[in-house]
Amino acid sequence: MSLARTIAVIQSAIERGMQFGLQIYVSRQGEVLLDTGFGIARPDVPMTRDTIMPWLSAGKPLTAVAVLMLVERGLLTLETRVTDVIPEFAAGGKHEIELRHLLTHTCGFRNAPLSWPNAEWNEMVATICSLPLEEGWVIGETSGYHVASSWYVLGELVRRIDGRFLSEFLRSEVFLPLGMSDSWNGMPSDVWQSYGDRIGLMWNRDRGETRELEWHDARHCQACSPGANSRGPVRELGRFYEHLLAVDGFAGQRLLSPAMVAEMTSRQRVGRFDQTLQHSMDFGWGFMIDSKHYGPKTVPYGFGARCSSRAFGHGGSQSSIAFADPLHGLVVAYVANVRPGEAWHQRRHRELVDAIWDDLEVAC
């Protein structure tokens, strides 16, 4: 199947300066339809299917899966209070927060003054534990996307229960079993050096000025950030979603039971207005769930007006998304290397996702 319209939309965005390069992976029923790069990853270095790109928050579901693996091993429950594992987390009225609240962004400590990647892990966890519950927040009811803070708590739960830091757990228990050999959340120094120009750059655009970010340097690539710093070729993130859809090629490599995958990717938070995203959004356990019924042209990081109600995934700030649609057997993952501002990115994103549905000839 040709994805001619999708390719044209990507190339047009490059020509208009919306991005210098883009890496994309699309498969349907396990058949790879697109796995390539467009434009440049660095000055004079083309973007290819092998470029190592940051997924930002599109990698959050990987951390969610790591924690849910511990649930299935009987080491946690969704009702486990964080303080049962991390006693000092109780400070500031947070003692009633449970694992399920962390995974649905209903826990109420969004604004942690973290100094990643310069601060040490223990320092950042201590800072988060000392935070007070936000004023007026009702745990489990008030909703607001947590960009980073709750994800460090999830990572610390993994460390205290399993004994390994999240970076090691993800590498050993998630990435390598799924064949995601170039995926990392905190890569060793020698690995960073060996990749060289394979590590793609990212840029910010603000008021017409484009600024190169430092996210490709050793300091950023080597530091674990559970909700923001997974990276690799985007096809490997697509492979993660193919695993969740149980397409061919994963026999004997299941990370979670089919029942847990179904629960994780179904609506656990429904009809709540998200105070961070400023839009009503549904969530599973760590996943965004199709929310187009709240506004197909306004919902952020959506999966297109023609996705099924069962579609699930996650977006990354102004640059990336990965999602799967079980009804259509579709997996999409992409990363654009210029963050043009939220409004511009949402337009770019909707245009690209709509083009994919057009090419697949899926009607509303």
Side-chain angles (χ1 to χ4, degrees):
M1 175 179 291
S2 171
L3 296 185
R5 175 166 169 74
T6 300
I7 293 170
V9 165
I10 294 169
Q11 292 175 331
S12 174
I14 292 173
E15 292 167 2
R16 288 180 285 138
M18 293 295 295
Q19 60 217 17
F20 297 139
L22 182 139
Q23 189 182 59
I24 187 168
Y25 180 87
V26 181
S27 70
R28 193 173 190 187
Q29 307 296 354
E31 177 187 357
V32 178
L33 304 179
L34 198 59
D35 176 15
T36 191
F38 297 86
I40 62 168
R42 291 169 170 256
D44 301 319
V45 178
M47 179 79 78
T48 74
R49 66 191 292 271
D50 295 318
T51 302
I52 309 297
M53 293 298 295
W55 304 334
L56 303 183
S57 290
K60 276 182 165 69
L62 296 159
T63 295
V65 165
V67 173
L68 292 171
M69 290 172 71
L70 298 182
V71 171
E72 289 220 306
R73 294 172 186 179
L75 301 173
L76 282 170
T77 72
L78 288 159
E79 291 73 36
T80 296
R81 288 193 177 188
V82 175
T83 54
D84 291 344
V85 182
I86 311 172
E88 64 270 31
F89 180 77
K94 303 192 301 300
H95 54 283
E96 294 183 358
I97 292 174
E98 301 173 358
L99 176 58
R100 61 194 175 98
H101 302 138
L102 299 176
L103 291 170
T104 53
H105 301 276
T106 57
C107 45
F109 55 100
R110 291 175 291 173
N111 302 313
L114 303 178
S115 298
W116 184 89
N118 298 315
E120 295 293 328
W121 176 272
N122 289 340
E123 177 186 342
M124 291 188 286
V125 170
T127 296
I128 293 166
C129 287
S130 69
L131 290 175
L133 191 70
E134 294 181 45
E135 185 176 355
W137 195 282
V138 180
I139 296 169
E141 295 185 17
T142 310
S143 301
Y145 178 71
H146 287 52
V147 174
S149 53
S150 61
W151 297 87
Y152 278 97
V153 176
L154 291 168
E156 182 66 2
L157 289 172
V158 171
R159 188 185 73 83
R160 296 204 185 189
I161 290 172
D162 179 80
R164 288 174 287 182
F165 279 99
L166 181 68
S167 54
E168 183 182 353
F169 187 95
L170 285 173
R171 183 71 180 166
S172 300
E173 302 284 346
V174 179
F175 296 149
L176 292 180
L178 297 188
M180 300 168 65
S181 59
D182 283 322
S183 296
W184 308 85
N185 192 319
M187 63 178 64
S189 174
D190 61 331
V191 172
W192 175 80
Q193 291 177 341
S194 70
Y195 281 140
D197 284 354
R198 276 190 66 188
I199 298 178
L201 273 59
M202 294 289 290
W203 288 265
N204 265 2
R205 177 165 298 150
D206 183 34
R207 299 177 183 177
E209 294 186 6
T210 303
R211 177 176 59 89
E212 180 184 309
L213 298 168
E214 297 179 346
W215 296 349
H216 60 286
D217 66 14
R219 192 165 44 100
H220 286 80
C221 289
Q222 293 172 30
C224 180
S225 177
N229 202 34
S230 286
R231 62 179 74 210
V234 82
R235 72 170 179 276
E236 296 194 355
L237 184 56
R239 186 168 178 82
F240 168 74
Y241 278 86
E242 289 172 345
H243 164 75
L244 296 177
L245 290 186
V247 301
D248 292 343
F250 288 103
Q253 299 180 30
R254 306 307 307 168
L255 300 182
L256 296 169
S257 69
M260 179 59 84
V261 172
E263 180 179 346
M264 173 179 66
T265 60
S266 62
R267 298 174 203 279
Q268 304 298 334
R269 188 190 103 183
V270 182
R272 303 284 177 82
F273 182 80
D274 192 287
Q275 295 188 9
T276 305
L277 299 172
Q278 289 295 294
H279 204 286
S280 293
M281 296 276 290
D282 291 347
F283 276 82
W285 302 131
F287 286 85
M288 296 176 172
I289 310 299
D290 168 52
S291 295
K292 64 180 179 298
H293 45 292
Y294 303 121
K297 295 184 179 180
T298 56
V299 63
Y301 303 96
F303 314 134
R306 283 167 283 182
C307 74
S308 78
S309 62
R310 295 173 57 197
F312 61 90
H314 211 289
S317 177
Q318 301 179 37
S319 62
S320 59
I321 200 166
F323 69 89
D325 190 327
L327 183 64
H328 298 290
L330 179 68
V331 168
V332 174
Y334 79 78
V335 181
N337 61 10
V338 173
R339 301 172 72 247
E342 198 64 61
W344 279 105
H345 172 65
Q346 295 305 330
R347 291 177 201 151
R348 172 180 65 181
H349 169 68
R350 283 192 288 272
E351 185 179 9
L352 177 53
V353 173
D354 286 347
I356 293 170
W357 289 112
D358 286 344
D359 281 332
L360 296 177
E361 298 181 347
V362 174
C364 292

